[in-house]
Amino acid sequence: MTGPDGRREQLSAALARLEQRLVAACSAAGRRRQEVTLVAVTKTRPTSDVAHLAALGVRDVGEARDQEAAAKAAELVALDLRWHMVGRLQRNKARSVARYAWAVHSVDRPALARALGAAAALAGRELSVLVQVSLDGDPARGGALPADVPALAAVVAQTEGLVLRGVMAVAPRQAEPAAAFAELAAVAEQLRRDHGAAGWISAGMSHDLESAVAAGATHVRIGTALLGDRPGPGR
Ligand SMILES: *Cc1c(COP(=O)(O)O)cnc(C)c1O
């Protein structure tokens, strides 16, 4: 199981197990499997892993750092994947991200929204945007406070080059994920009242996808359950 073929089989088995979890979670929540998009988060993994996943039918790929994402997207451009930026973003990365990203899940301030919109317009592209919501009251970890979401969403909706799709969050480390995802669902409902089409909820990672699907997630972002533990310290 060491060569590239072994890795493909490993990933195929992990994908099958993950698919079973998703089917069970949707069924438990009375939802259809097609309502939930799997975004495979491939940060820190080799580009060959992304190519294996693409061969296994995965179309949506998530990355957390622009430099790494840009290199992988360029190498795999022929596969026509949808690249999702899910990590914190500095404004000076907007130009780069706007060239390859299909969606940005981590927009948490107006200045970043405006920079991405300008870059997307310049590149002649349209970016799907999710407003990242902070659920632990500590925006230092990324995300806008729930009270700031309506104003930020309005900026995104009015910015050329951007299409407002919905909200994204990471469950706080200490809290019960169900409570955090319920709070996110309430923010999402308000967003849908203001912007009818913006119904995406990006929530749920390897350890809490069931609870996210129960709370209405439309996109789950899965890394370790698919690809194994990430190499290196702190990543
Ligand atoms: C790394 C990452 C994920 C995937 O996390 P896993 O626990 O490996 O499934 C999801 N969302 C974001 C924002 C991430 O940075």
Side-chain angles (χ1 to χ4, degrees):
M1 295 288 282
T2 51
D5 292 343
R7 183 61 173 156
R8 170 91 48 107
E9 284 153 20
Q10 223 172 42
L11 291 175
S12 173
L15 185 60
R17 282 193 301 272
L18 175 61
E19 192 53 44
Q20 279 179 357
R21 274 180 75 187
L22 283 169
V23 166
C26 287
S27 159
R31 303 179 61 200
R32 289 176 305 128
R33 170 65 187 89
Q34 306 92 281
E35 294 173 32
V36 182
T37 299
L38 166 64
V39 179
V41 178
T42 53
K43 65 188 182 198
T44 76
R45 323 293 178 152
T47 305
S48 55
D49 275 4
V50 186
H52 285 314
L53 288 174
L56 293 166
V58 173
R59 307 313 303 164
D60 293 270
V61 179
E63 286 283 334
R65 292 168 186 230
D66 167 60
Q67 205 178 359
E68 182 181 346
K72 286 174 175 167
E75 205 174 319
L76 299 179
V77 68
L79 297 184
D80 205 22
L81 298 170
R82 294 195 290 241
W83 294 88
H84 297 248
M85 175 52 64
V86 304
R88 294 205 76 185
L89 217 46
Q90 298 302 315
R91 232 188 315 169
N92 63 9
K93 304 292 188 196
R95 279 271 196 110
S96 172
V97 169
R99 284 191 206 108
Y100 62 82
W102 182 72
V104 180
H105 292 223
S106 45
V107 173
D108 60 1
R109 53 203 194 279
L112 177 60
R114 292 194 185 95
L116 283 169
L122 198 69
R125 302 188 68 231
E126 221 166 47
L127 290 178
S128 287
V129 164
L130 303 181
V131 170
Q132 184 176 350
V133 184
S134 168
L135 297 176
D136 57 4
D138 178 13
R141 287 188 55 216
L145 291 172
D148 295 332
V149 168
L152 176 55
V155 170
V156 171
Q158 287 158 14
T159 299
E160 190 196 341
L162 305 183
V163 181
L164 177 68
R165 298 288 190 189
V167 293
M168 174 274 221
V170 177
R173 282 198 194 94
Q174 311 303 344
E176 179 58 40
F181 291 142
E183 185 183 354
L184 180 65
V187 176
E189 200 180 309
Q190 174 68 50
L191 196 77
R192 261 196 313 272
R193 276 200 291 272
D194 296 345
H195 309 272
W200 295 10
I201 301 177
S202 167
M205 301 168 35
S206 293
H207 63 287
D208 59 14
L209 75 85
E210 284 81 6
S211 151
V213 167
T218 62
H219 292 68
V220 292
R221 310 178 307 270
I222 309 296
T224 51
L226 199 48
L227 294 136
D229 287 329
R230 274 181 288 277
R235 305 189 78 179

